[in-house]
Amino acid sequence: MKITKINVAAKAVKLKEPITIALGTIEHSMSAIVEIETDEGVIGYGEGSPGILITGETLKGTTECIQLFEKQLIGVDPLDIEKVHHIMNSIAAHAPSAKTAIDIACYDLLGKKSGLPVYKLLGGFSNSVKTDLTIGIDTPEIMAQKAKQAVLQGFDTLKIKVGTGFSQDISRIEAIRRAVGNDIKLRLDANQGWKPKEAVNMIQHIADYGIELVEQPVAYHDIDGLAYVTKNVSVPIMSDESCFNSKDALRLIRAHAVDYVNIKLMKCGGIHEALKINSICEAAGVECMIGCMVEETNIGVTAAAHLAAGTKNITRADLDATFGLTEVAIPGGVGLEPISIIELTNQAGLGLSK
């Protein structure tokens, strides 16, 4: 099988409603949708969702980077994924979302060529993933109302965005816990919103609210601060922005900086690198969560779901991006309806087709 053409199209989809995190407000899904055509007539689908607040990339830049990749990937076997990444790395130093678009499409082709769903190729541990639902930053009353609605929809785990101030965050957590009762798991995500000592103080105050974990409490570059928080609180700490790739994962493990690691395909460059992150963490006894960018479509979320289902060490999932979309990029895969258990089909590849 050889790559004959790579089509890329920028796509913006308005979210059902904006979502606010400590870093800013997001109103649209922004993705570069990729189709890799082959000499066997098989097409692989992928996407690169840049998420400028996290990766610093833009949709225009991601699209142009993919076009640069195409020039060197024509004639290459897309099933030679190690070689594909070597070529992309020789062209662009970082550009994780652009690399993810190509990577996902290659894994889709690998599945279609073998006649197997991608989760089978990645280990086949399970064919389903349980996801949480994210509650964006708002007033305590509105957040509590949305949390209660999520529980009524069947979610027993909620991811609560915080990080804008001590009293405001405390009020949000209190209101949500009152609204949903004590049986619902609450995960907090500060998106780098606290200083290390502030984070310790905050987490000690809210520990009695039954918090499952706190994600990225401090600035992404402050590994010492992250380790300080982890050492001084009883609630487990998870990295997100501090871990883009396998080298970051190794650095966090060596520093004993976290209890969990959040893997996102758009941060690390795709499934190929995500597997390395997961292996490093698993060897160190650190479980992983699979996450997604708010801006992703069903293509990226479906690929992430296959990765999580196929591997044992990815024990948690935050794959709710499609639930806020008004349309899918390509039919198939994870849908728009909020549902806590994502069931994967046995269709070859990612189960996406026009």
Side-chain angles (χ1 to χ4, degrees):
M1 181 182 283
K2 303 296 181 183
I3 296 174
T4 57
K5 186 174 178 57
I6 298 177
N7 303 306
V8 57
K11 186 176 182 65
V13 177
K14 190 174 180 64
L15 301 181
K16 292 176 183 175
E17 60 179 72
I19 181 168
T20 298
I21 65 176
L23 297 172
T25 298
I26 301 160
E27 298 182 351
H28 292 83
S29 161
M30 306 284 283
S31 279
I33 308 300
V34 160
E35 297 178 4
I36 295 183
E37 298 181 10
T38 67
D39 59 349
E40 296 184 9
V42 184
I43 296 176
Y45 298 103
E47 80 162 315
S49 182
I52 192 169
L53 295 177
I54 305 297
T55 69
E57 299 168 287
T58 65
L59 183 56
K60 183 175 185 291
T62 297
T63 301
E64 291 177 351
C65 191
I66 292 168
Q67 292 168 340
L68 290 176
F69 292 157
E70 181 193 19
K71 297 177 182 179
Q72 299 299 318
L73 290 174
I74 297 299
V76 174
D77 188 337
L79 309 188
D80 295 339
I81 295 176
E82 184 84 30
K83 183 176 182 179
V84 169
H85 275 273
H86 174 71
I87 292 170
M88 292 193 294
N89 290 337
S90 70
I91 296 170
H94 301 292
S97 63
K99 293 174 183 177
T100 298
I102 300 297
D103 174 276
I104 290 175
C106 287
Y107 274 97
D108 188 30
L109 287 168
L110 180 59
K112 288 172 177 175
K113 178 71 172 180
S114 66
L116 293 171
V118 170
Y119 77 85
K120 287 280 190 183
L121 299 172
L122 300 178
F125 183 71
S126 177
N127 67 345
S128 65
V129 180
K130 181 179 179 181
T131 181
D132 61 23
L133 188 71
T134 301
I135 308 298
I137 292 175
D138 211 314
T139 65
E141 295 77 17
I142 291 176
M143 291 178 72
Q145 182 182 13
K146 290 182 177 179
K148 191 171 182 178
Q149 178 61 32
V151 172
L152 292 175
Q153 290 173 320
F155 292 90
D156 64 10
T157 306
L158 305 178
K159 182 175 178 179
I160 312 302
K161 293 290 188 178
V162 292
T164 62
F166 186 90
S167 60
Q168 300 100 312
D169 288 338
I170 292 292
S171 296
R172 292 171 179 131
I173 298 162
E174 289 177 343
I176 290 170
R177 180 53 81 195
R178 283 197 304 269
V180 302
N182 295 323
D183 295 331
I184 303 301
K185 292 181 182 179
L186 299 183
R187 299 169 179 167
L188 305 187
D189 186 2
N191 285 113
Q192 312 176 59
W194 302 326
K195 302 292 185 182
K197 289 184 178 180
E198 180 186 12
V200 169
N201 187 27
M202 171 69 71
I203 295 167
Q204 288 175 342
H205 270 78
I206 53 88
D208 290 340
Y209 287 98
I211 306 302
E212 183 193 18
L213 58 85
V214 175
E215 183 176 347
Q216 200 62 49
V218 302
Y220 75 94
H221 56 79
D222 191 0
I223 306 304
D224 289 340
L226 196 58
Y228 171 82
V229 176
T230 299
K231 181 180 179 180
N232 287 282
V233 298
S234 59
V235 176
I237 302 300
M238 180 166 66
S239 64
D240 180 2
E241 292 94 328
S242 290
C243 185
F244 269 65
N245 52 44
S246 55
K247 296 178 181 64
D248 291 337
L250 185 58
R251 189 178 301 115
L252 290 168
I253 295 297
R254 285 174 170 169
H256 302 283
V258 292
D259 300 292
Y260 304 118
V261 169
N262 187 358
I263 299 172
K264 290 180 179 175
L265 299 184
M266 299 301 161
K267 286 190 309 178
C268 71
I271 293 172
H272 183 65
E273 184 70 13
L275 289 169
K276 296 179 184 180
I277 297 172
N278 186 54
S279 293
I280 288 170
C281 291
E282 187 170 21
V286 173
E287 295 175 5
C288 293
M289 181 167 89
I290 190 72
C292 61
M293 300 294 193
V294 175
E295 299 92 339
E296 284 182 54
T297 75
N298 63 310
I299 302 173
V301 173
T302 298
H306 276 266
L307 172 63
T311 52
K312 177 172 65 68
N313 193 59
I314 299 180
T315 57
R316 294 164 175 80
D318 175 38
L319 296 178
D320 59 350
T322 62
F323 306 155
L325 299 178
T326 53
E327 61 179 282
V328 296
I330 296 173
V334 181
L336 304 182
E337 181 183 356
I339 187 168
S340 63
I341 304 294
I342 298 172
E343 299 279 356
L344 301 174
T345 70
N346 280 320
Q347 289 180 272
L350 296 172
L352 304 168
S353 62
K354 287 188 174 179

